Amino acid sequence: MTDTPVIRTRGLSKRYRGTDALVDLDLEVAPGEVVGYLGPNGAGKTTTIRLLLGLIRPTSGTAQLFGLDSLQDAVAVHRRLAYVSGEPALWPNLTGAEVLHLLGQVQGSVDLVYRDDLVDRFALDPSKKVRAYSKGNRQKVVLIAALASRPDLLILDEPTAGLDPLMAHEFRSCVLEAKGRGQTVFLSSHLLSEVEALCDQVGVLRDGRLIEMGTLAAMRHLSAVTVEVSFDGDAPDLSAVDGVLSATANGRHASLQVRGSMDPLLQVLAGSHVRQLRSRDPSLDELFLTLYGDVGATSPRAG
Amino acid sequence: MATVAGVGASPTGRAPGSVVLRRTARRTIRSGALWGFVFGAVVISSAWSYSGIYRTQAQRTALATAFGSNRTTIALFGPAPHLDTVAGFTVFKTLLTLTLVGAVWGLLTATRMLRGEEDTGRWELLVTGATTRGRAAGQCLVGLVTGVAALGAVTALLLVVAGRSSRVAIAPGAGLFFALSLSAGALMFTAVGALTSQLAPTRRQAAGYAGAFLGVSYALRLVADSGTGLHWLVWCTPLGWVEELRPLTTPRWLPFVPILIFVVVVGTVTVGLAAARDIGSSTLPDRDRAEPRLRLLGGQVGLSVRLVRPTLVAWAAGLVITGLVFGLVAEGAGRSLAGSSVRDVFARLGASGSGASAYLGVTFLIEAVLLAFTAATQVTAARSEELEGRLDPLLSRAVTRLAWLTGRLAVAVVALAAGATLAGLAMLAGTVAGGAHLGAGTIVGAGLNTLTPALCVLGVGVLAFGIAPRSAAPVVYTVVAWSILVDVVGGIGGIDHWLADTSVFHQMAPAPSVPPNWQAMGWMLATGIAAAVVGCAAFVRRDLQDA
């Protein structure tokens, strides 16, 4: 039984009026894993999550959580998970404390000591009414409610969208604690750094299709690194160096795309008068371009 | 949101600075024109039915003697000096009633367009465009005034066109003045709603303050017209000014002076307050903090109770007040009815008895309409929970859709039953105090009789919510509005039987003047339950549809 995947989808698809929001998703998440779910806006991240939660119905395919059907056994499934939406909508006339109480009651299980601790850590003022909260504060209420129920599975949809860097950091340590306790985490995000800091596995979604699933390091390997070099004199021509995919020189400055080993480039640069050398990991966009070519890049979709 | 796209960018080539004005005007003109149509239709149908029913001068004089000096009806509906003429009867029957309807429309529209837009954050988007807070509020006011103008224009058009008929007989000039008088209440309370939108922190509170002001205005006018030597009070209330215009009978322009001064002053203060305060804040202090009240928050049913309680309490108060007032005047009205041919009108509405019980039969029809509207608000409230995304935190936890919707329905049914009972009890208290003796069981039973149409409306609303959620609000309000229209038109006469049967109010027997129609009640209840069951089943199977 312990081998039952926490999340398993088979051919999960959703079509809205002729547009494919999600196509044939086969996803498997093992217990205790922290999985990042990456993709640009409208890629189908939220659609996937709403399908997993049974809030919408698949056009075809199935989703199972803890080995149970996400639609038939929705309540049994929901008792073991907690969901944080990226656009939390709460009741404007209820205070933070009232919402936390209600959500705990509706969930059925809540660790009150941990909840009070989280309220302190996220510096939330629970006596305020929801309508007086900023978006970040509403997000904190939902996050605290979710974490305090200590669920087997946390489903987080862009949970740090409204949080300031300090609180985003606090959030990360909470997720790492959850991971330490063996909880499974499904984190949808478009922030590469967040996913990088937290996740073992990464799925990349584009135009409703899962185009890559694996570790981030393995994925990085596929992609080029951007290297920016400033010289004391004019920039030499570096386009012929091994591993350099493309090079553009602009006076004393050169910008390069490098894949694979850096060694040949460093050998060449050692002979030049380098003033400054900066290398940058591929951005999410660049990663996508590598993973997916240019296909679809010119057809932004809504949803 | 296509409407916001125009801010700043102005792809249409029109001045970007007037976007708030155009946006507000576009949204209020439509509903203003619709209500203008209703106003015109009500006035015309009143005049039409009067000249059809009271054909001879003798009949008209009888009516005038019966009602013209009845202190209670004058206090409630305003003076009735010329009841022996079509014009006098029409003004008595429609001026104050429609002014109240227009005032409620005005204050609800203004608070929705100002405080409501601010609550949802859309106002902020508009104000960060090429405008300032004060100017945006000013533009919104002008936009709202165009809505009122549309109301007046459509009313005027209908009155001028139908006035040519010999049975209505309203001269074009008089028709225009009447339309102007009927718009005055809407205009003043639009301004009041705009002002309270600056004062109060939420739309509900803004509408509440404006509604309270309307209540005080009505009460002052009631005292002024109750013959206690305080008639000068009529000049201290906006509703009194409208009354003093005396359209159709002895029209006077003078009261337009205080009306216009009132609108200009309130409008100026509104713009001043809007310019002086921060977006999202209110002039009166807001209570953003509260001690947690957890009693009801142990589950989703309790939450439903907590969420709908303020609305339901307000509706219940309305039902109780109308019940008390109508119960109080029932005996007097019934007595004046007994000897006159007004009974014919009531008979056409189905109230076949005589005296107080016939009168109460028609007034319970009004209670039934209020109750049906309450049912409609419960359907739209459920839909807005889904639309705003507040269902997600519940349904992603251990709450099934069926449990949520049936819980919500149970709360609505209990509240409606309580409302019907309260209406009956209030009517009973009123009749006892007013000296009409009809038997407690009969009156409370007549109150409960009004429950079936409301339950039918509720069921049909759930069906629409389950199958086509976006249509839930239009469908449920159309059912109520259609039923009123058919029943009123049917009451005036000349309507096909099968058409009349589509009205839930026509189906309801006007108890206590006649015994409840158990068969029709059974049908309505069965329809409501069947619709609700199908609606629930459809809701469980469909996607949630957020904004």
Side-chain angles (χ1 to χ4, degrees), chain B residues 284-301:
Chain B
L284 296 178
D286 183 12
R287 276 182 58 236
D288 314 1
R289 269 162 214 288
E291 284 296 306
R293 291 176 297 142
L294 305 178
R295 196 167 53 84
L296 286 171
L297 298 179
Q300 46 95 15
V301 177

Side-chain angles (χ1 to χ4, degrees), chain B residues 7 89 101 118 125 140 145 180 192 207 221 232 253 257 260 292 334 409 458 496 538:
Chain B
V7 181
F89 176 79
V101 172
E118 204 162 328
L125 285 174
C140 191
V145 170
L180 216 53
V192 170
R221 192 216 53 79
W232 55 270
W253 289 95
V257 176
L260 285 179
L409 267 174
L458 187 68
D496 281 343

Side-chain angles (χ1 to χ4, degrees), chain A residues 14 16-17 50 53-57 75 78-79 81-83 89-95 97-99 101-103 105-107 125 127-129 131-132 142 145-146, chain B residues 201-202 204-205 286-294 297-300 303 306-307 385 388-390 392-401 540-544 546:
Chain A
K14 182 70 186 176
Y16 287 112
R17 286 189 207 89
R50 293 177 76 77
L53 293 168
L55 296 178
I56 55 176
R57 306 176 72 86
V75 166
H78 291 171
R79 280 191 207 284
L81 64 80
Y83 159 61
L90 298 169
W91 304 271
N93 286 322
L94 264 51
T95 66
E98 288 171 339
V99 172
H101 175 81
L102 171 78
L103 294 182
Q105 292 285 317
V106 172
Q107 180 82 41
D125 176 357
S127 66
K128 270 187 157 186
K129 288 192 176 174
R131 69 170 186 294
V142 187
Chain B
T202 65
R204 190 184 271 171
Q205 282 181 45
D286 183 12
R287 276 182 58 236
D288 314 1
R289 269 162 214 288
E291 284 296 306
R293 291 176 297 142
L294 305 178
L297 298 179
Q300 46 95 15
L303 173 71
R306 169 113 183 231
L307 293 178
E385 285 293 287
E388 311 282 337
R390 288 190 293 263
D392 295 9
L394 294 178
L395 297 187
S396 63
R397 289 184 165 78
V399 177
T400 64
R401 292 196 197 189
V540 170
R541 276 163 190 78
R542 71 168 166 84
D543 290 351
L544 282 196
D546 293 9

Side-chain angles (χ1 to χ4, degrees), chain B residues 81-161:
Chain B
H82 302 282
L83 276 188
D84 51 348
T85 64
V86 178
F89 176 79
T90 306
V91 169
F92 169 67
K93 204 178 153 195
T94 61
L95 179 62
L96 188 61
T97 318
L98 290 182
T99 297
L100 285 172
V101 172
V104 171
W105 172 81
L107 69 88
L108 287 180
T109 310
T111 47
R112 187 175 68 235
M113 298 307 286
L114 282 154
R115 181 50 71 174
E117 290 293 277
E118 204 162 328
D119 279 355
T120 57
R122 284 193 281 268
W123 191 248
E124 201 168 316
L125 285 174
L126 292 171
V127 173
T128 47
T131 186
T132 64
R133 285 169 308 207
R135 212 180 297 160
Q139 283 187 27
C140 191
L141 267 175
V142 176
L144 288 165
V145 170
T146 59
V148 178
L151 187 155
V154 173
T155 310
L157 185 74
L158 285 180
L159 293 190
V160 169
V161 170

Side-chain angles (χ1 to χ4, degrees), chain B residues 476-498:
Chain B
V476 75
Y477 282 112
T478 305
V479 168
V480 179
W482 168 259
S483 294
I484 296 172
L485 192 73
V486 167
D487 203 47
V488 169
V489 174
I492 290 164
I495 190 162
D496 281 343
H497 193 266
W498 65 265

Side-chain angles (χ1 to χ4, degrees), chain B residues 440-511:
Chain B
T442 318
I443 297 184
V444 177
L448 282 172
N449 184 44
T450 60
L451 183 59
T452 354
L455 293 180
C456 187
V457 166
L458 187 68
V460 172
V462 171
L463 178 68
F465 173 72
I467 289 175
R470 279 166 225 278
S471 76
V475 163
V476 75
Y477 282 112
T478 305
V479 168
V480 179
W482 168 259
S483 294
I484 296 172
L485 192 73
V486 167
D487 203 47
V488 169
V489 174
I492 290 164
I495 190 162
D496 281 343
H497 193 266
W498 65 265
L499 199 61
D501 280 348
T502 60
S503 163
V504 289
F505 304 124
H506 189 81
Q507 291 291 338
M508 186 190 81

Side-chain angles (χ1 to χ4, degrees), chain B residues 166-194:
Chain B
S166 62
R167 274 182 72 172
V168 178
I170 297 174
L176 286 178
F177 189 89
F178 195 23
L180 216 53
S181 311
L182 287 173
S183 326
L187 182 66
M188 287 187 285
F189 281 88
T190 295
V192 170

